[in-house]
């Protein structure tokens, strides 16, 4: 649903909707939507989905955009996230390798 349609359904302008949403949830509508998509993608990754498949299934334009947002929000790359969870990760050559646990901090 577009912001215009949602605003029309709420009987206000798009900008009033934006301000009300941000006041209520503390995030812009687009940030909230992205957060939901990233949570869903993270669940897919944990269940063994490939990053490209998780990106496509959650509405990201491509794996590169998904990886950038995942890194911004999670403050690390999917590779590091995989190492943290102890699940295998794909290398750049299409092979799978066992993840090495991180040294305790």
């Amino acid at each position: 649903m577009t912001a215009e349609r949602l605003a029309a359904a709420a009987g206000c302008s798009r900008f009033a909707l934006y301000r009300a949403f941000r006041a209520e949830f503390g995030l812009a509508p687009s940030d909230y939507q992205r957060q939901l998509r990233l949570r869903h993608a993270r669940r897919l990754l944990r269940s063994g989905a490939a990053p490209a498949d998780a990106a496509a299934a959650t509405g990201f334009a491509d794996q590169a955009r998904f990886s950038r947002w995942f890194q911004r929000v999670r403050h690390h790359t999917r590779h590091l996230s995989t190492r943290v969870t102890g699940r295998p990760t794909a290398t750049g050559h299409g092979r799978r390798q066992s993840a090495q646990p991180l040294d305790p901090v």
Side-chain angles (χ1 to χ4, degrees), residues 34-51 53-55 57-58 60 66 69-71 73-78 80-82 84-87:
R34 190 176 303 110
Q35 186 180 65
L36 293 176
R37 290 166 52 203
L38 285 166
R39 283 183 189 165
H40 184 220
R42 186 171 184 221
R43 285 192 299 272
L44 292 172
L45 293 172
R46 282 186 175 166
S47 70
D53 295 337
T58 54
F60 286 90
F66 164 67
W69 279 109
F70 190 88
Q71 184 174 2
V73 172
R74 303 292 305 160
H75 304 292
H76 50 71
T77 63
R78 184 204 181 267
L80 179 57
S81 177
T82 302
V84 169
T85 62
R87 288 181 172 50

Side-chain angles (χ1 to χ4, degrees), residues 20 41 83:
R83 289 180 62 201

Side-chain angles (χ1 to χ4, degrees), residues 8-46:
C12 63
S13 72
R14 191 172 49 132
F15 302 106
L17 176 70
Y18 176 89
R19 286 190 301 270
F21 190 95
R22 189 169 182 101
E24 183 67 28
F25 296 103
L27 294 169
S30 59
D31 293 335
Y32 183 79
Q33 180 187 37
R34 190 176 303 110
Q35 186 180 65
L36 293 176
R37 290 166 52 203
L38 285 166
R39 283 183 189 165
H40 184 220
R42 186 171 184 221
R43 285 192 299 272
L44 292 172
L45 293 172
R46 282 186 175 166

